Amino acid sequence: MKNILRNIEGDRAIWAIVAILAILSFLPVYSASTNLVYVVNNGTPTFHLLKHAFLLACGFLIIYAVHKIPFRYFSGGSVIMIPLVIILLIYTLTQGTTIGGANASRWIRIPFIGVGFQTSTLAGLVLMIYVSRYLARNKDKKIVFKETVLQLWLPVAIILALILPANFSTTAIVFFMILLLAFIGGYPLKYILSVVGTGGLILALFVLTAKAFPDAMPNRVDTWISRIENFTNKNAEEGYQVEKAKIAIASGGLKGRGPGKSVQKNFLPQSSSDFIFAIIVEEYGLLGALVIILLYFMLLFRIVMAAKKATSIFATLLIIGVGLPIIFQAIINMAVAINLFPVTGQTLPLISSGGTSIWMTCIAIGIILSVTANKEKEELTENEENPLAILHETIG
């Protein structure tokens, strides 16, 4: 362990913020897991705490391993991962299972360790790296829309189309973040608007098709529509989850009920994952909520500073592409809990209990730290025998 601590590189502030968020997650997860124990009859609070600790411990090992990889390798790696992600998404749609009745996303189980793997989270991460690569390679070229369709937008469209049937919120978030990254990367705004229009048309056709043939995708489109209608209609009866979350937040007050003293955790589905922010506010009050918000704001600040100091266009876009979705996901999770956004099923990064969503966040953090560690170096003659270097040059 001492050797690992001596060898950590990159932005120490990001390391510290991520560690603090992880440490602060233990008490809320332990407290909120009673819903899984006594309502769903799944394990014990200690079991869920140990599982969360295991996932976080593996997550920090992932951060350490990834941040040691020169970030230029992620460019070519994304090209290799695109077809693999497509295969995984197809397999998940045909063989995946639903984990947790309130979360209808498609998952696959990782053998032996029994952890659920949501392939859409990996797909979103790979897409952000791939788009960063494309934008960086074409930064100084005149963009012609029809020339970008096959290389840029076709992989994006295929992957998002495979995510959409099971998880609309993830599809929408990834699509929005790709558009934002494209705008920051200098992709012409008129072409971005064309992509938005095309995406809207495809979504409308999908919804109409799903409504016409409900047996193909039972309950999913109706669920999306009902969530949006309930959110936009002030006279509609609030969903059970949102109602319990608002009760939890309202009863938290300034200082909260105290650690482990939440009442709504016994009634609020997904209290340890999707709605853990409501439990945090109930137990730790407004002050606890402000601490969490401040930590995410500090992480955003460090991500922006790292992007600003990056030494190449790809490095800047890479940090933005994998870093901003973490903050965006946190904002959406907290907005859902306080009823500022329709229910989406997005977890609170590094705090919510969960499966490999924690690991995907850790991979993104590791990539950012790889860039901040300035792993990019001049190619030396002896690197010609390095398989990774040869593969990178071949793909790049």
Side-chain angles (χ1 to χ4, degrees):
M1 181 61 71
K2 290 183 179 179
N3 289 333
I4 292 178
L5 292 177
R6 281 199 299 265
N7 290 321
I8 62 172
E9 301 175 276
D11 193 312
R12 297 301 177 95
I14 293 179
W15 276 105
I17 294 167
V18 171
I20 292 171
L21 283 170
I23 292 171
L24 292 180
S25 72
F26 285 108
L27 283 178
V29 166
Y30 180 73
S31 175
S33 64
T34 55
N35 177 271
L36 295 172
V37 175
Y38 300 114
V39 178
V40 185
N41 195 26
N42 180 8
T44 65
T46 302
F47 166 77
H48 290 289
L49 179 63
L50 292 176
K51 179 181 177 181
H52 183 65
F54 169 76
L55 292 171
L56 284 175
C58 291
F60 274 86
L61 290 177
I62 289 172
I63 293 176
Y64 179 81
V66 172
H67 101 293
K68 287 293 186 179
I69 301 173
F71 71 85
R72 68 179 184 273
Y73 292 145
F74 297 117
S75 175
S78 67
V79 179
I80 298 174
M81 286 298 296
I82 288 291
L84 295 178
V85 163
I86 291 174
I87 294 172
L88 270 177
L89 289 171
I90 293 173
Y91 175 80
T92 307
L93 279 177
T94 56
Q95 303 294 330
T97 57
T98 299
I99 296 179
N103 188 348
S105 299
R106 290 280 186 169
W107 302 68
I108 54 177
R109 284 283 188 181
I110 298 179
F112 306 113
I113 62 176
V115 175
F117 175 46
Q118 192 174 14
T119 51
S120 59
T121 58
L122 173 62
L125 182 62
V126 171
L127 270 183
M128 298 307 293
I129 301 173
Y130 180 82
V131 173
S132 299
R133 173 186 184 274
Y134 181 88
L135 293 171
R137 287 168 60 87
N138 294 275
K139 178 65 176 177
D140 297 325
K141 299 179 182 178
K142 182 179 179 181
I143 300 296
V144 179
F145 182 70
K146 62 181 180 180
E147 294 179 358
T148 66
V149 172
L150 288 179
Q151 292 187 26
L152 177 60
W153 296 115
L154 183 60
V156 170
I158 292 174
I159 290 177
L160 293 184
L162 291 173
I163 299 174
L164 179 60
N167 199 329
F168 172 73
S169 61
T170 298
T171 305
I173 291 172
V174 173
F175 185 52
F176 174 78
M177 295 309 301
I178 287 174
L179 294 176
L180 179 61
L181 182 62
F183 177 75
I184 294 173
Y187 194 81
L189 181 59
K190 60 181 180 179
Y191 296 156
I192 293 177
L193 294 177
S194 298
V195 173
V196 172
T198 304
L201 179 60
I202 294 174
L203 177 61
L205 291 174
F206 172 80
V207 172
L208 291 175
T209 303
K211 295 288 285 184
F213 304 98
D215 293 336
M217 282 156 283
N219 300 323
R220 296 308 304 138
V221 171
D222 289 338
T223 300
W224 307 338
I225 295 174
S226 65
R227 284 178 175 177
I228 295 174
E229 288 178 347
N230 288 336
F231 178 76
T232 55
N233 185 3
K234 296 182 179 180
N235 297 322
E237 184 178 353
E238 289 184 317
Y240 180 80
Q241 291 174 304
V242 175
E243 180 183 355
K244 293 301 179 183
K246 290 175 69 174
I247 293 173
I249 292 172
S251 60
L254 181 63
K255 298 181 179 180
R257 293 178 178 271
K261 295 182 180 180
S262 167
V263 174
Q264 297 306 315
K265 66 185 180 183
N266 299 313
F267 307 101
L268 180 60
Q270 307 297 320
S271 57
S272 64
S273 53
D274 299 354
F275 285 91
I276 196 169
F277 185 70
I279 304 302
I280 292 174
V281 178
E282 184 180 9
E283 293 188 351
Y284 301 94
L286 178 62
L287 296 179
L290 290 177
V291 169
I292 299 299
I293 294 172
L294 178 61
L295 285 169
Y296 282 118
F297 178 79
M298 292 171 62
L299 181 59
L300 172 62
F301 176 76
R302 295 308 306 178
I303 289 172
V304 172
M305 291 301 298
K308 185 178 179 180
K309 294 178 180 178
T311 57
S312 69
I313 296 172
F314 174 66
T316 298
L317 294 176
L318 184 63
I319 291 176
I320 294 172
V322 303
L324 289 189
I326 299 174
I327 307 301
F328 193 65
Q329 182 180 334
I331 292 173
I332 289 179
N333 178 276
M334 293 184 284
V336 168
I338 60 178
N339 199 30
L340 289 180
F341 207 79
V343 176
T344 61
Q346 298 296 317
T347 56
L348 193 59
L350 299 169
I351 293 182
S352 293
S353 65
T356 49
S357 60
I358 293 176
W359 294 348
M360 292 302 106
T361 300
C362 289
I363 291 175
I365 295 294
I367 291 172
I368 295 171
L369 291 170
S370 173
V371 179
T372 60
N374 195 25
K375 302 296 290 184
E376 186 79 75
K377 296 179 180 178
E378 294 291 329
E379 290 292 336
L380 301 176
T381 305
E382 57 266 26
N383 282 347
E384 294 178 0
E385 298 180 357
N386 184 338
L388 282 178
I390 295 172
L391 181 62
H392 166 70
E393 293 299 327
T394 301
I395 296 174

